[in-house]
Every structure is written in structure tokens, then in C-alpha cells.
Amino acid sequence: MSLPAIIKSRAIRMETPVSTALVAAAAALIGALGTQVVAAWGGLRIRRFELYFQAKASAYKALLERMGEFGCCPLDQAKYLTFLAAYEAALLFASDEVAESLKGPSGISVNAQRLRSAPTDDKRSAVAFTTWYDATKAASTAMRNDLKRRSDGLQ
């Protein structure tokens, strides 16, 4: 065998292990990058859930506070407007059950109008101690259940 043929056969033998090593290294790199992408995606989903849950809980809390303020002074226009703003914010995040307790036929919205339109203080007090009270309890219970359902499995 001539010298160039020996060199050529050695070169082929040397290239084969190098290309095999490159393929193995590329596969390991792709696997590591894939693992990082999956972990980052999972972290992003968890962070989005945390932010959504926090915004929902804050909206529910603000609505409960504004319902209390409005219920004490239903004719105060400023308190009514802040109640409406909190109501609309809570509706953005509300589950179907919570939305029903807010805007359904016996919900907060309807009873807020009953409270505001009562012609006398006695009738306003009667609404406050009956239908308004029942609507606020139903809404707060629905909100609590919604938050509890969303947080199950995280504890």
C-alpha cells in the first residue's frame, strides 16, 4: 500500500470518531436546551397563574370593601361610583358562580339599585337588612369558594 493511501485511510478513520463525537455533543446540547425551555415554560405558566390569582383576590377584596362602604351610605354618589368601579373590576376575573352572584336576578347589582331607590330611610334599612345582606353574603361566599378552588393543590 502506498503512503498516500495509508494517510487517506487514516484520515477517514480519524474523521469518523470526530463526527460521531460532534453528533453526540450536539444531541446533548439540544437535550439540555430542551430541558431549559420546558422548565422556563413551566415557570412562566406558574408566574402567570400567580399574577392572575393575585389580581383576582385583590379585585374581590376591593369589591367587598366597597360593598360595605356603599351599603352604609347608598345615597352617597362618590361611594356608589367607587362601588361600581370595584364591581366591574371583580367581574373581569369572576368565575361563572361569582358573576351570577354579582349580576344575577338576586345579585349585588340588582340589590344595589333597590338600596339606592328605596324612597325612605326605613325602607332603605329594610332592604339593607334583607336582600342586600343576603346578596353580599352570597357574593362573598362565591368569591371565597372561587379562590379556594383556584388555590387547591398549591398548599
Side-chain angles (χ1 to χ4, degrees):
M1 197 184 241
S2 69
L3 185 60
I6 294 173
I7 292 174
K8 194 173 186 181
S9 68
R10 293 259 183 220
I12 291 173
R13 288 185 197 148
M14 294 300 281
E15 288 175 10
T16 303
V18 170
S19 64
T20 304
L22 287 175
V23 169
L29 180 62
I30 290 171
L33 288 175
T35 301
Q36 291 298 316
V37 167
V38 168
W41 181 256
L44 178 63
R45 289 189 65 191
I46 289 171
R47 183 65 181 143
R48 285 175 47 198
F49 174 79
E50 288 172 350
L51 291 173
Y52 182 80
F53 185 86
Q54 184 179 28
K56 178 183 271 205
S58 294
Y60 286 175
K61 179 182 181 225
L63 177 59
L64 290 171
E65 290 170 350
R66 300 301 88 79
M67 284 186 330
E69 292 170 359
F70 167 73
C72 291
C73 301
L75 299 179
D76 184 330
Q77 187 67 14
K79 289 183 181 179
Y80 178 64
L81 292 176
T82 57
F83 161 73
L84 282 180
Y87 169 83
E88 293 295 333
L91 271 178
L92 289 174
F93 298 102
S95 65
D96 291 342
E97 177 189 4
V98 174
E100 181 64 23
S101 73
L102 296 179
K103 63 181 185 173
S106 61
I108 291 294
S109 179
V110 170
N111 282 292
Q113 297 311 312
R114 285 182 185 143
L115 197 56
R116 283 180 60 80
S117 64
T120 64
D121 285 340
D122 288 340
K123 290 188 179 187
R124 201 173 296 102
S125 291
V127 170
F129 290 118
T130 56
T131 59
W132 175 255
Y133 177 81
D134 293 341
T136 58
K137 285 299 166 194
S140 66
T141 299
M143 288 181 224
R144 183 177 60 248
N145 291 340
D146 184 27
L147 293 175
K148 184 171 179 358
R149 265 193 311 276
R150 300 285 178 248
S151 66
D152 278 350
L154 297 178
Q155 300 168 350

